[in-house]
Each structure stands twice: as structure tokens, then as C-alpha cells.
Amino acid sequence: MLVVALVFSLFVGCGGNNAANEPTNTGTETETATETETETETETETETEVTEPEETEMVMNWNLGGTIETIDPGLSAAVNSGHVVTNTFEGLMREVDGKPEYAMADSHEVTEDGLVYTFHIRDGVKWSDGKPVTAFDFEYAWNRNTDPATASDYAWIFDEFNYDSCKAIDESTFEVTLKAPADYFVGLTGFSTLMPLRKEAVEAKADGAWASDPTTVICNGPFILTEYVPGDRIVLEKNPMYWKADEVQIDKIVAKMINEGTAALAEYEAGGFDFNTTLPPAEIPRLLVEDSTFMIEARPGTYYLNLNAHKLTELQDVRVRQALSLVIDRVAITDMLNQGNIPAINFIPPGIKDTNGEEFTDKALAYGVDIYDMENNIVKAKELMTEAGFPNGQGFPVIEYVTNSTEGHLLVAQQMQDAFKTHLGIDMEVSSMEWGVFQELRKTHEFQMARGGWIGDYVDPLTFIGFYTTGSPLNSPEWSNEEFDKLIKDSAYATGQDRYDMLAAAEKIVVEDAWFIPIYNYVDPIHQQEYLKGVERTVLGKFFFGRAYIDK
């Protein structure tokens, strides 16, 4: 057996700890001040007795943004629910300072051929109800999340690390068998879909409802859910059974769901939030200059469009899809948003490199698109529309575009709406809706064009394009391409530069077929009060508060 050294590549531009610089203003206290009670001297007492000061509960106020649909680790697919899962559950590993460290496991071995991993569960780790976390909890979770009946949006991720099977040898030994080696597998074991689950908790309520009910949820992370009000707030409290409970200083996290940037900013500036990532784009330039508690961090992900040619016949012509992409001014959009986002024509973001050190962003130059030469892009787009039989948009129907109702998304929609009309003569109607409703709409594939967004789950090019395969639940417009599917499948059995070349060729197919149109690469705008210390941010942008504290 070969003992594995833990190595995890850092994503360029991302940091681990998000402690802010010194601010220009501080927040107000949300809890009552510590009270000191002094016993009065009685006739029989010779000394005045003074009690010890009561400890003030350490409460963190956090804005999660949009409504959370589920915090079941096996069903969670949204970014904000991922933050909650990261703080309430824990896998075999947990990322710390950009690399995986042992969590529920305390060691592992792998066979020489890289196919069989044996993890040893740490002694004494417990669920929030005091029962031990065992290898059988991992076996149950992995089998449940790969079962089609569960309908996990992330079941496909098992294919991405070439998963074959798993079994609990005994309570403390968990064995995983892969179909082919996957160098990034160990780091992935901290991902939410691979976290352990208690069978009796999951089966207490169907469709993930168990995880949103304080009476049924059982966690193994630093915090446990104690209140859940849909669309309003989630309350987490310190889990005394967590194996590192002595490191957890925050007693309670009150997480609100304010999706409107102006309202969230006002609440933060009034001291109502200690941590917030929902901000109005128009305020970003001011905050960068005036507010030292505001920062922008790079994030490995892409904002894009889904074009569903199954619902609009005219979109079945690749020339039309490419023309729509060509007239989108990505630089103007990122300038308008003022958040530091990076204009993109690729899905694999900057910082992901092959074995030769070459950036993937240089490999898939989309059908001649030059982000900084809109004049030529527009000329080419008009030529394509004429070739397709729609000169100046003649005879082309109105496109229906759907997005969730955050201010930034609506600004992007307006920019595209103007570009399609001005340069191609195409009208586009915009429909916006609450986040949960929008998520469900994309899952049903009942749209012509819809906003999309993706944040990578591990540091490898596959995480940014693997879910476009035929039948993937995250392939919203149900695109299918046999050559792309084959490249993704074959890459699982390739190694070194051969594997990266396959993935680069696969990305080129996605980009040029233009059912998915990349707009920009993400960044995280972050507001963190100066007295909130020790907040950690993973390479892929998840926030962890297990070692955070408030120092007022």
C-alpha cells in the first residue's frame, strides 16, 4: 500500500483567509452588554461577594442573499446553500489554507495502481446527537446520492472522479474503488455530496426536508441548525459534539436572506450585518475607495447564457447562436457591474493550467470572437444572421429570456436586450423571478434562453465543463454532442498532457456550438466588519466560520 501525501493546487488569485483591513467605521453590538451583579452586604456577612461576569453570547449576523431551497448535502446545488452545508457538515477531508486536511478521517492509504482508497475514521467523532460518525454513514450517503431515485443534482460528480463503488469494512474503515485513477479525488472528499449522512435522519422527512427541520436534522460540523424560516432566515448554533468544538468561538449565526443589494448594503452599513456578499453594482466603485472593510476576491467560475434550441426553432442554427454571442459586449457588461469580473469567451477560467503550464483560456478561442474588437464582432454577427436567413432580424421571433431578480442580473439582461435589438434587429423579452422559482424552471428545461452560472467544485478543468454531458441534470437546455461526450468519457482513462488535450478539445466544442455562451468570470464582493476575525474562504469560494470570532 502506498501512503498518500496530501497535495492540493491553489487556484490563482484566490485566498484562504478573508480577514479585512482596518475599517473606517464599526458595527453596533447585537447582543446585550455583559452585566456584573454585585451581592449586597448582609448583616451576617463579613465580606461583599461579587459574582463572576456573565459571558456575552457571541453572535454573528450574516446575509446569505437568495432563498435557500435545501441544506441537504446530497441535494444542495446552489452557492448559498453550499456555504451553510460547509458549516454544518464535514466530510473525510476539509480544505484548510488551500489544501485538504483530515477531518472525519485521520489517515488513508491507496493501492499502487491508484484505484482503491482506504480511509480510517477518526476515533471519537460524533454526530450532533452524540452518536458516533461511522464508515457506514459514508457508505449510506454515497449510495443514497448516486441512486437515481434520490434525484441529486450532483450525482454526476461521482463520474468525474471515476467512482466505481464504496463499502464500509467496519465502523472505522471506509473503502472506495475507482474505475481509473483520479489525482484530485482526495481533495473532493470534502465536497458536500460526499459528506456522511445519518440514515434515520434522512428518512425522517422526504425530499431533503429533514435537513431544514431543527427537530430532525443531525449534523457533524461545527454548527447545527436551530431555526429555519423559508425566505427569511436560518439560525445556526455551535455544535458541542463537533470534534473541534474547542476551536469554535461563535455561539450563534443568524443568517438572513436579503437578495436586494441596496437593502443588504444599508443593513451592513447600519451595523446589522457582520458579513455580506450581496451588494448593488453601482456602489462598488465608492466602496473600493471609501470602505476598508470591502474587498473583491477572485472566484473560479463563469457567468453564462443557456440557449435552448429545443424551445425556439430558430436557435437550432449555429450561425444564429454564434451571432447572438458576437454582439454581446462583455467588456461593457463587466465595466457596468464594477465588480472586477473578467470578460470571458471560455468556460475554464484563468489560473487553470495543463502540464505544460499553458492556460486553458488560451486554448478555446471562440469562433473568432475578440472581446476587445466589438466593431468586427458586430460585422461578423450580421453576416451570420444574413446567411441564416434573418437579415436585420427580419422574420426572427421575439426571444424570451429568464433570470432571477437580482439587480446585477437584470442589468446584464438589459445590456443584451439593447445589443440584440441594435445590432441584429432581434427583440428580447425579459422575465425575472425569485431564485427558487428560477432554479426549478431551469430544471424543467422550459425556457428559450436563461441565465446560467457555475462555480468549480475542485481545481481541475473537468469541473468547469463535465456537467455539459448528455443527460446531466445541470445541462439545462439538454444539449447533446457525441464527440464532446466521448472526449469527456475518454479523458477519465487518460493521464498527463493527453488528458488535458482532450479536455481542451471538449471545451472548444462547447464554446463553438454556442448552446452555452460565457459572459464573464466571477469575483466575490465581500463586506466583512473589522471586528469579525478568522473567516476562512476555500480556494473555490466557500466560507467557513468554524474558527471565526468577534473581537469588539
Side-chain angles (χ1 to χ4, degrees), residues 482-502:
E482 290 183 5
E483 185 181 359
F484 174 84
D485 289 348
K486 186 176 188 304
L487 283 166
I488 295 297
K489 182 178 179 180
D490 290 349
S491 72
Y493 299 93
T495 59
Q497 190 59 38
D498 287 344
R499 176 176 178 271
Y500 286 119
D501 288 344
M502 289 180 181

Side-chain angles (χ1 to χ4, degrees), residues 207-528:
D207 301 323
W210 67 275
S212 303
D213 185 343
T215 67
T216 56
V217 67
I218 301 175
C219 305
N220 71 321
F223 299 95
I224 184 168
L225 179 78
T226 58
E227 185 180 1
Y228 175 62
V229 181
D232 182 56
R233 68 184 179 277
I234 283 177
V235 178
L236 308 177
E237 294 187 11
K238 178 177 177 178
N239 176 10
M241 295 297 169
Y242 181 54
W243 71 285
K244 282 190 171 182
D246 59 335
E247 294 184 4
V248 180
Q249 299 188 54
I250 291 177
D251 298 300
K252 180 187 292 185
I253 298 175
V254 179
K256 300 287 286 185
M257 302 178 199
I258 297 179
N259 197 37
E260 204 280 309
T262 301
L265 174 61
E267 184 73 9
Y268 177 87
E269 292 185 328
F273 288 139
D274 305 314
F275 196 81
N276 174 49
T277 55
T278 302
L279 296 111
E283 291 290 330
I284 300 297
R286 174 184 71 81
L287 295 171
L288 284 169
V289 173
E290 299 177 1
D291 190 346
S292 60
T293 70
F294 177 73
M295 69 196 91
I296 290 177
E297 298 277 356
R299 190 169 202 189
T302 305
Y303 188 106
Y304 63 93
L305 308 180
N306 294 282
L307 273 62
N308 191 347
H310 300 302
K311 298 299 179 182
L312 186 63
T313 302
E314 288 76 7
L315 291 178
Q316 292 177 5
D317 191 323
V318 66
R319 294 169 296 187
V320 171
R321 299 194 300 271
Q322 290 182 356
L324 292 171
S325 177
L326 280 162
V327 299
I328 297 172
D329 192 335
R330 293 157 172 85
V331 174
I333 287 174
T334 54
D335 286 348
M336 170 190 65
L337 294 176
N338 282 311
Q339 294 180 346
N341 297 302
I342 303 167
I345 56 171
N346 301 69
F347 290 95
I348 299 173
I352 302 294
K353 300 180 181 181
D354 63 18
T355 54
N356 296 326
E358 296 180 2
E359 291 265 358
F360 271 81
T361 48
D362 297 331
K363 293 176 179 291
L365 301 178
Y367 39 88
V369 175
D370 184 340
I371 288 173
Y372 302 100
D373 187 359
M374 285 305 299
E375 183 176 350
N376 282 332
N377 288 346
I378 292 166
V379 169
K380 185 172 183 179
K382 290 182 176 180
E383 291 173 352
L384 288 171
M385 289 297 290
T386 299
E387 291 173 11
F390 304 105
N392 298 316
Q394 295 174 18
F396 201 93
V398 175
I399 296 176
E400 298 173 2
Y401 178 71
V402 293
T403 182
N404 50 313
S405 53
T406 304
E407 181 181 358
H409 300 321
L410 295 175
L411 289 173
V412 172
Q414 183 180 351
Q415 193 91 352
M416 294 190 303
Q417 189 179 48
D418 293 344
F420 295 163
K421 181 64 174 178
T422 301
H423 304 305
L424 301 178
I426 295 175
D427 291 312
M428 183 178 85
E429 292 181 353
V430 179
S431 297
S432 63
M433 58 200 69
E434 186 270 329
W435 169 239
V437 176
F438 177 60
Q439 277 188 302
E440 288 304 313
L441 178 67
R442 285 193 303 194
K443 288 179 182 178
T444 63
H445 320 292
E446 294 295 328
F447 62 85
Q448 295 178 358
M449 186 183 294
R451 183 191 75 80
W454 183 253
I455 305 297
D457 297 313
Y458 50 98
V459 185
D460 187 85
L462 184 61
T463 189
F464 300 101
I465 58 174
F467 62 90
Y468 295 127
T469 52
T470 302
S472 166
L474 296 178
N475 181 346
S476 298
E478 298 185 291
W479 175 69
S480 182
N481 183 289
E482 290 183 5
E483 185 181 359
F484 174 84
D485 289 348
K486 186 176 188 304
L487 283 166
I488 295 297
K489 182 178 179 180
D490 290 349
S491 72
Y493 299 93
T495 59
Q497 190 59 38
D498 287 344
R499 176 176 178 271
Y500 286 119
D501 288 344
M502 289 180 181
L503 295 176
E507 184 191 23
K508 190 171 188 291
I509 292 171
V510 178
V511 170
E512 293 192 348
D513 209 25
W515 280 60
F516 310 93
I517 299 176
I519 305 297
Y520 60 78
N521 297 131
Y522 283 113
V523 294
D524 270 334
I526 300 169
H527 241 154
Q528 178 179 327

Side-chain angles (χ1 to χ4, degrees), residues 72 140 144 197-206 208 210 216:
D72 180 329
Y140 167 74
R144 178 246 188 182
L197 297 171
R198 276 273 293 283
K199 182 178 180 180
E200 61 267 38
V202 174
E203 294 180 351
K205 286 191 173 182
W210 67 275
T216 56

